[in-house]
Amino acid sequence: MNIIKNRLYFLFLLGGMFAATTSCKNDDTPTPVEEVLAVKTIVPASGPVGTKVVITGTKFDATPANNTVLFNTTPATVTAATTTSLEVTVPAGATSGLVSVTVGGKTVKSASNFDLAARAVVEKQGNITASETWTKDKIYLLKGFVYVTTGATLTIEPGTVIKGGGIALDPAGLGKGGTLIINAGAKIMAVGTAAEPIVFTSNAAPGARKYGDWGGLVIIGKAPHNQLGSKGPEGGISGQLGTDNIADDNSGKLQYVRVEFPGIALTAGNEINGITFYAVGSGTTVDHVQVSYSGDDSYEWFGGTVNAKNLVAFRGFDDDWDTDWGFVGKVQYALSLRDPEYADQSGSNGFESDNFAGTGEPATAPNNGFPLTAPVFANVSNFVFPGTPNTNPGSGSGLYQSAMHLRRNTDISIYNSVFSGYPEGLRLDGANTLAHATAGTLDLKGIVLANTTISVRGDRATTGVSDAQALAYFSAATRKNTILTDASTLLLNADNFKLTAPKFLPQATSPLLKDAVWEGKGADAFFTKELFRGAFGTTDWTTGWTNFDPQNTPYN
């Protein structure tokens, strides 16, 4: 009986083992491993700025704008996207290094570097007599004075880098720094983008660049001016201004363009500026332009009718906005941020505005003195430094002088602008200039002066405008101007004006965000009737295309 029981138990045990073995068999499909954000390949793995690159990986966003791609630390625009591939263009300013992709707050990096290849260098000298295009796959080196002659158009692609050779590279041996000169009747079509600005810069290596490394950009047009037709440009540039008087003359386009380390002062009153406009007409388009580290004025207009918006003057040496010889154009949204350690021996100003050339020259010499210099500027922010007025020449050759030095029969008008950190706010210089102000053809309204040692002054004993007369004009209630001893009440936040990483928006409760005045010449249709004073409201229009550290930017 026990034998039978044992056999039954044994059979039961085998059955249980068989059932257990059967139940362990896995007929289910394995659960897939969840995909994570990853970069797999970068093709090609090297190339110059402007190269199309395809990044493969996983968990990308199919909407291009939802993917952030950095070449080392420089952002690139994503032009096409799927969940497994991104198409981008190597951006200007990129350096060799890892490529990172950020999606939904998560960031991954490539396993190996993208190597930025040096672009071929094309040397340019002498005359350009036929139309040509400069492309972003090359670097263009200016040697001496380079003229685009009448009838020719120079087209420059977005992302192109042009370097100005120093005086030692002048092929004529005359010690002229590389300078691009657009003659009257010629055109420059330099149309960059926010993602790919066109850059004119020094030929020196990063860390070795300095003020006035090369000449600059000079554009000559056929618009009216108040000089003799035989008058030539400054700085040894050949040619004459002529008497064409074509108000809407078209010299081309400058859009999303940076000009870095230009400006050579050859002798007193004989200079090449960062960008110089001679009799340039209103048919010319100028917007989103930055001039940095100019060894002379950042911008100077000699006659002409050209208009502009969104201009930046950064760490210039002499004046920011210099207007002469009957310039009558309009400018809106202009920013100047200055290094308090660098100023010119002539006394650096924000605005310097003249009608005729110098002491002793009568206002009625050429063209009976007409047209008068009568530009209109609006929404300007000029900051030497948000704190104490600068009275120390530091590493420069001189001191700062005035936020606005208006003299020699000028008829300039400035609206809704803010100036801080100058030893003087307004210097109203000359009986004829005061007469224009009193008559209302020179108009200053909606202006804020802050942190100045002398807010408003005349020229005292020179030509008879007293401080009291100048102050009475500026302070008239109808002008709605403001004088502050402490710029902190503007709620700008001094940390926002760090020279290497500035941020320009006023705080949300800043008094600058209201009380703009759009009267008189400010009512012109060219101007967007903003509520704010100064260059910024709630949008920072410098984002993306400007560079506040060009000293350390590699351009290869």
Side-chain angles (χ1 to χ4, degrees), residues 395-413:
S395 301
S397 60
L399 300 173
Y400 283 91
Q401 181 182 280
S402 309
M404 296 171 285
H405 187 189
L406 312 184
R407 62 181 183 173
R408 296 175 182 163
N409 212 33
T410 183
D411 227 355
I412 192 172
S413 295

Side-chain angles (χ1 to χ4, degrees), residues 121-202:
V121 176
V122 178
E123 296 183 356
K124 290 292 179 179
Q125 57 183 292
N127 293 337
I128 297 174
T129 58
S131 296
E132 62 180 64
T133 298
W134 293 359
T135 56
K136 63 185 177 183
D137 60 333
K138 300 178 180 66
I139 289 176
Y140 296 83
L141 176 62
L142 305 174
K143 300 178 74 173
F145 285 3
V146 179
Y147 293 89
V148 181
T149 62
T150 301
T153 296
L154 173 60
T155 301
I156 305 177
E157 287 186 351
T160 302
V161 173
I162 302 97
K163 294 185 177 181
I167 58 177
L169 294 183
D170 181 3
L174 300 176
K176 295 180 177 179
T179 304
L180 182 62
I181 302 157
I182 312 301
N183 277 347
K187 287 184 179 180
I188 180 171
M189 300 298 292
V191 181
T193 67
E196 291 187 290
I198 293 166
V199 180
F200 292 80
T201 193
S202 168

Side-chain angles (χ1 to χ4, degrees), residues 34-267:
E34 183 179 358
E35 287 185 340
V36 295
L37 180 65
V39 172
K40 294 182 178 179
T41 64
I42 302 173
V43 180
S46 66
V49 169
T51 301
K52 293 287 185 183
V53 173
V54 175
I55 303 169
T56 66
T58 54
K59 294 291 284 185
F60 300 152
D61 195 300
T63 300
N66 291 342
N67 305 274
T68 300
V69 176
L70 300 180
F71 281 74
N72 211 345
T73 59
T74 304
T77 300
V78 180
T79 54
T82 70
T83 57
T84 58
S85 70
L86 302 175
E87 182 181 283
V88 299
T89 301
V90 179
T95 57
S96 296
L98 298 179
V99 176
S100 66
V101 177
T102 300
V103 181
K106 296 181 179 179
T107 300
V108 294
K109 294 184 177 182
S110 58
S112 58
N113 285 349
F114 177 87
D115 293 323
L116 187 71
R119 288 172 278 183
V121 176
V122 178
E123 296 183 356
K124 290 292 179 179
Q125 57 183 292
N127 293 337
I128 297 174
T129 58
S131 296
E132 62 180 64
T133 298
W134 293 359
T135 56
K136 63 185 177 183
D137 60 333
K138 300 178 180 66
I139 289 176
Y140 296 83
L141 176 62
L142 305 174
K143 300 178 74 173
F145 285 3
V146 179
Y147 293 89
V148 181
T149 62
T150 301
T153 296
L154 173 60
T155 301
I156 305 177
E157 287 186 351
T160 302
V161 173
I162 302 97
K163 294 185 177 181
I167 58 177
L169 294 183
D170 181 3
L174 300 176
K176 295 180 177 179
T179 304
L180 182 62
I181 302 157
I182 312 301
N183 277 347
K187 287 184 179 180
I188 180 171
M189 300 298 292
V191 181
T193 67
E196 291 187 290
I198 293 166
V199 180
F200 292 80
T201 193
S202 168
N203 190 42
R209 298 161 184 159
K210 61 185 183 300
Y211 290 96
D213 268 348
W214 61 290
L217 175 60
V218 178
I219 304 177
I220 305 170
K222 297 183 177 183
H225 56 83
N226 65 16
Q227 301 294 296
L228 294 172
S230 59
K231 186 83 170 183
E234 294 182 353
I237 295 170
S238 64
Q240 299 178 346
L241 294 184
T243 56
D244 296 285
N245 293 320
I246 303 171
D248 62 350
D249 186 48
N250 185 352
S251 294
K253 295 182 178 182
L254 291 181
Q255 294 179 291
Y256 293 102
V257 172
R258 299 202 304 260
V259 179
E260 302 167 352
F261 304 98
I264 296 176
L266 302 173
T267 59

